[in-house]
Amino acid sequence: MGHSKTRFVFLQTPLNKTKKLIGEAGITFTNAFVASPLCCPSRASILTGKYPHNHHVINNTLEGNCSSTAWQKTQEPKTFPALLQAYAGYQTFFAGKYLNQERNSRYYNYTLSVNGKPKKHGGNYSEDYLTDVLTNMSLDFLQYKSNYRPFFMMVSTPAPHAPWTPAPQYQDRFKDLKAPRDPNFNVHGKDKHWLIRQAKTPMTNSSIELLDEAYRKRWRTLLSVDDLVEKVVKRLEVRGELDNTYIIFTSDNGYHTGQFSLPLDKRQLYESDIRVPLLIRGPNIKPNQTTGKTAMDGMSFLSVLEGSVNSTTWRTDFLVEYEGEGSNVSDPACPLLGPGVSVCFPDCVCEDSFNNTYACVRTVAPSANLQYCEFDDNEVFVEVYNITVDPYQLINLAKTIDQEVLEKMNHRLMMLQSCSGQSCRTPGVYDTRYTFDPHLMFSNRSHRRNRLRRA
């Protein structure tokens, strides 16, 4: 379960075996999103089924509760694999990147914790390439587990995380590949949060070369993930367990490469960063299905998989939360920027900051495909997008959208930010007058922003 660039949604992908063995053999979700576009909070959401404000992991730092003692005592015992083991008698297995720790995304020269005991690996491909090591550990688990108890296995590959080291047999693939030149590529985000506005446009040739090379390397690392999926599926088939096993393929965040002139990273509120792949095959799931349903914060979607969902009771919106990270000291390479920023590239374009802290409500419904975001900063900056007509989020409607729509979405955002359990799963209600009528949607009325109340 690694970072995956998902804008192409498998129309063009290095994961052809995965597409065939899981997607075409089951169901592909076209609207799958993360609750936070960063490793640790997103992984905590995957493991607990909770929004970040309920599991309290807000970023990748120990201070942000990432793998902290408090997390281990209060949240870890309630993760769904722990509950499967404790209450349903499951055999459980985990291999790979758990939450987030320094140097846990290396492909060589790393140390694994194997049932609590450290095991060092070196630089030999046949013995140490991390994706293959995780593959072999997974196959061993499937081979030697008990046949008389159900099992849960989670394989979390760091690929395609930096440093993007491909297996030797794949290091020359995709030589002519470039990052997608979508309409928001190398475009100045003039109406966006200050962190986006500070990006240099047009990007320098060196920045474009860097992001294109990173894109190629990421695809190369994913070829080994594709091999992993194939081997696991074949092992299940040989053991006669494939038809009785649910297989889920997804990711913990998206990734941008050049959108709004930000070279490469995640953390932002845009579609490139919050969308992820979600493919599932298993019992009673018909092959070659696609669905636009969304699932988030502890709600079972078995009915969607089996085709028996009642669309009138399904959620139409969800919450995205992120708390920015910054450094207390200035970056020596970019002293003019001052403290408070982080992940700065050679051209002094920074991908994060302390006040890159926001919450968004994203609607996904036939009558409303909108995104409303508020930043917790001195400006209380607001970004609003009509994804239906502006899928690349080029036009911020915050100053032109109808006041009543703003108030409805602001109210819904505050409700979601304080929700817990069932209240997070109550579908939002939107007046279709305002989402369909372009004269109301773009009425140019000034609006009074209601300050975001942090839950």
Side-chain angles (χ1 to χ4, degrees):
M1 196 179 297
H3 307 284
S4 181
K5 169 65 176 145
T6 60
R7 192 70 189 178
F8 45 80
V9 194
F10 289 100
L11 295 176
Q12 182 186 22
T13 173
L15 297 166
N16 291 311
K17 299 172 186 176
T18 302
K19 177 184 175 183
K20 178 181 178 181
L21 295 171
I22 304 180
E24 293 177 6
I27 187 168
T28 298
F29 285 75
T30 57
N31 283 321
F33 301 86
V34 293
S36 186
L38 189 64
C39 316
C40 204
S42 183
R43 288 166 183 265
S45 289
I46 291 170
L47 289 165
T48 63
K50 298 177 181 179
Y51 280 125
H53 69 263
N54 287 327
H55 61 59
H56 309 299
V57 178
I58 58 174
N59 54 39
N60 279 351
T61 66
L62 192 62
E63 295 76 17
N65 205 31
C66 181
S67 200
S68 67
T69 301
W71 157 266
Q72 293 170 18
K73 288 182 178 179
T74 63
Q75 299 297 325
E76 196 168 56
K78 300 175 184 177
T79 58
F80 78 89
L83 296 176
L84 285 174
Q85 185 185 80
Y87 297 105
Y90 271 67
Q91 305 166 82
T92 58
F93 170 87
F94 183 94
K97 182 177 178 180
Y98 179 55
L99 289 175
N100 223 69
Q101 293 179 343
E102 187 179 6
R103 300 178 180 177
N104 67 352
S105 295
R106 291 184 173 186
Y107 295 75
Y108 295 106
N109 301 305
Y110 54 86
T111 299
L112 293 180
S113 174
V114 182
N115 294 324
K117 296 180 179 180
K119 182 177 181 180
K120 291 186 177 181
H121 282 264
N124 185 308
Y125 168 71
S126 62
E127 298 177 354
D128 301 312
Y129 188 68
L130 182 53
T131 306
D132 292 356
V133 169
L134 301 180
T135 301
N136 293 332
M137 294 174 71
S138 304
L139 296 177
D140 285 347
F141 169 75
L142 293 175
Q143 186 66 31
Y144 298 113
K145 67 177 178 58
S146 169
N147 293 329
Y148 302 101
R149 293 167 56 203
F151 74 94
F152 172 79
M153 180 176 81
M154 185 171 180
V155 187
S156 183
T157 68
H161 199 285
W164 317 301
T165 309
Q169 67 269 29
Y170 296 136
Q171 63 185 4
D172 294 324
R173 296 287 296 274
F174 311 123
K175 285 186 175 181
D176 298 324
L177 183 69
K178 293 183 178 181
R181 266 46 173 183
D182 292 331
N184 55 6
F185 179 84
N186 203 11
V187 169
H188 187 239
K190 60 182 182 297
D191 57 1
K192 294 172 170 49
H193 187 236
W194 79 268
L195 187 66
I196 310 302
R197 298 197 304 267
Q198 59 88 37
K200 292 179 174 61
T201 307
M203 291 184 286
T204 62
N205 289 337
S206 60
S207 288
I208 294 176
E209 290 170 2
L210 170 69
L211 68 87
D212 279 337
E213 181 61 16
Y215 196 83
R216 286 187 287 272
K217 288 181 176 179
R218 286 165 60 80
W219 274 43
R220 291 165 184 159
T221 66
L222 284 172
L223 291 174
S224 294
V225 176
D226 209 32
D227 292 339
L228 183 160
V229 170
E230 180 184 43
K231 290 176 181 178
V232 167
V233 170
K234 285 186 175 180
R235 179 60 56 90
L236 289 169
E237 186 175 29
V238 168
R239 291 180 56 82
E241 297 174 317
L242 182 58
D243 293 339
N244 196 38
T245 301
Y246 290 101
I247 304 176
I248 302 170
F249 181 90
T250 190
S251 177
D252 56 355
N253 54 253
Y255 203 75
H256 60 257
T257 46
Q259 285 83 358
F260 305 115
S261 299
L262 293 178
L264 51 123
D265 198 39
K266 48 266 186 177
R267 308 170 195 266
Q268 308 305 332
L269 58 88
Y270 308 107
E271 296 283 283
S272 56
D273 292 27
I274 66 174
R275 277 189 177 269
V276 292
L278 178 58
L279 315 176
I280 306 176
R281 67 171 291 170
N284 300 319
I285 301 178
K286 296 178 181 179
N288 291 304
Q289 293 187 80
T290 59
T291 181
K293 293 288 186 293
T294 56
M296 199 69 70
D297 206 68
M299 186 173 183
S300 170
F301 54 99
L302 182 62
S303 58
V304 176
L305 303 181
E306 296 180 344
S308 59
V309 66
N310 181 351
S311 61
T312 61
T313 63
W314 201 253
R315 74 180 67 211
T316 56
D317 60 14
F318 61 91
L319 177 69
V320 177
E321 303 172 285
Y322 179 66
E323 183 151 336
E325 299 177 38
S327 173
N328 290 320
V329 297
S330 298
D331 187 325
C334 307
L336 296 179
L337 294 174
V341 295
S342 63
V343 196
C344 298
F345 283 85
D347 295 323
C348 293
V349 174
C350 299
E351 297 274 1
D352 206 4
S353 66
F354 280 131
N355 66 355
N356 185 36
T357 295
Y358 58 81
C360 305
V361 57
R362 172 71 158 83
T363 71
V364 182
S367 62
N369 200 17
L370 305 173
Q371 185 180 29
Y372 174 93
C373 302
E374 285 195 11
F375 284 82
D376 189 16
D377 61 8
N378 292 334
E379 295 180 278
V380 196
F381 198 82
V382 174
E383 296 190 26
V384 183
Y385 300 99
N386 181 348
I387 307 297
T388 301
V389 299
D390 181 22
Y392 296 99
Q393 297 164 294
L394 296 169
I395 303 172
N396 180 7
L397 303 174
K399 295 182 179 179
T400 59
I401 196 171
D402 187 84
Q403 171 70 17
E404 193 167 347
V405 178
L406 276 177
E407 291 176 353
K408 285 177 180 289
M409 297 197 76
N410 171 271
H411 178 68
R412 181 59 177 165
L413 178 60
M414 288 189 292
M415 289 181 63
L416 284 172
Q417 278 205 292
S418 60
C419 75
S420 178
Q422 180 60 40
S423 64
C424 295
R425 302 190 287 272
T426 303
V429 178
Y430 300 92
D431 189 335
T432 57
R433 269 191 312 146
Y434 299 105
T435 57
F436 276 137
D437 190 333
H439 298 293
L440 290 174
M441 178 67 78
F442 305 99
S443 64
N444 289 315
R445 296 182 187 178
S446 62
H447 71 272
R448 300 178 303 276
R449 285 185 279 208
N450 296 324
R451 183 170 180 85
L452 175 66
R453 296 179 179 90
R454 302 293 293 174

